Amino acid sequence: GGLKVACVGKKTSARLERLGVPVALTPERYVAEGLIEAPEAYELRGARVLFPRALKAREWLPEQLKSRGALLELIPAYQTLERPLSEAQRLRLNAPPTPQRPLRLLTFTADSTARAQISDLIAHLPHPMRPFEWAEVCVIGPVVARFFEARGLQISALATPHTTEGLTQAFAEAIEARAPGAQFGFSQPI
């Protein structure tokens, strides 16, 4: 009995622990599917589950919790807002690689940001997928990877683990594979 807290990621778990909230479950894989794979997720019949999440989110996890008998209360805790690209950003994205800028990295941490950026490109560029042909696309997790694959777009790297640290390592490895021994720095973000 009593209150039990589950978190998808280790940073959320650590933050809650620092605030004095004990975390009963943090899955090995930092994705929603990891929560359901944990043995603790199988005894949910009649359990009241408060689920704070984004206003717009995948329904997979709530459906899984309900199918295991959880009494679910979904609470929108935040909303992802779409920010259109500026004309200058679109031009930089649409420009082919040059000797001065031979490599372009695009990183995505959520399918919602990928969807918003692709929608913006489709609305404003004659060849909206061209920037993705010229770039190394690194994604944080399998949901974002599936989003790109469903649109016939290749990804260069998938973060493992599915954290910002894993994403940083994944794009460093993508750069090393593309330009061995290259030193790199960060210029203007797109």
Side-chain angles (χ1 to χ4, degrees), residues 71-183:
L71 305 173
L72 195 59
E73 182 73 30
L74 296 174
I75 304 292
Y78 65 95
Q79 179 179 358
T80 303
L81 299 176
E82 295 180 11
R83 187 179 131 231
L85 295 169
S86 70
E87 188 62 28
Q89 290 170 320
R90 284 188 209 101
L91 289 172
R92 274 201 311 275
L93 270 173
N94 202 39
T98 66
Q100 295 78 26
R101 296 182 76 168
L103 182 63
R104 180 175 294 133
L105 286 173
L106 300 176
T107 59
F108 293 92
T109 56
D111 63 327
S112 60
T113 56
R115 181 175 292 108
Q117 298 307 307
I118 289 175
S119 295
D120 185 275
L121 294 173
I122 288 170
H124 295 96
L125 295 178
H127 304 288
M129 295 304 130
R130 186 174 293 152
F132 296 99
E133 296 166 8
W134 294 334
E136 299 294 326
V137 176
C138 303
V139 300
I140 200 164
V143 173
V144 188
R146 286 192 297 270
F147 172 85
F148 278 94
E149 291 162 1
R151 284 147 185 84
L153 298 169
Q154 296 292 315
I155 63 164
S156 304
L158 171 63
T160 305
H162 309 308
T163 61
T164 53
E165 293 85 0
L167 185 61
T168 302
Q169 183 64 36
F171 72 67
E173 290 169 4
I175 290 171
E176 181 63 27
R178 180 88 173 262
Q183 295 200 359

Side-chain angles (χ1 to χ4, degrees), residues 12-23:
T12 305
S13 293
R15 178 71 175 146
L16 288 173
E17 294 278 353
R18 280 194 306 274
L19 292 170
V21 178
V23 176

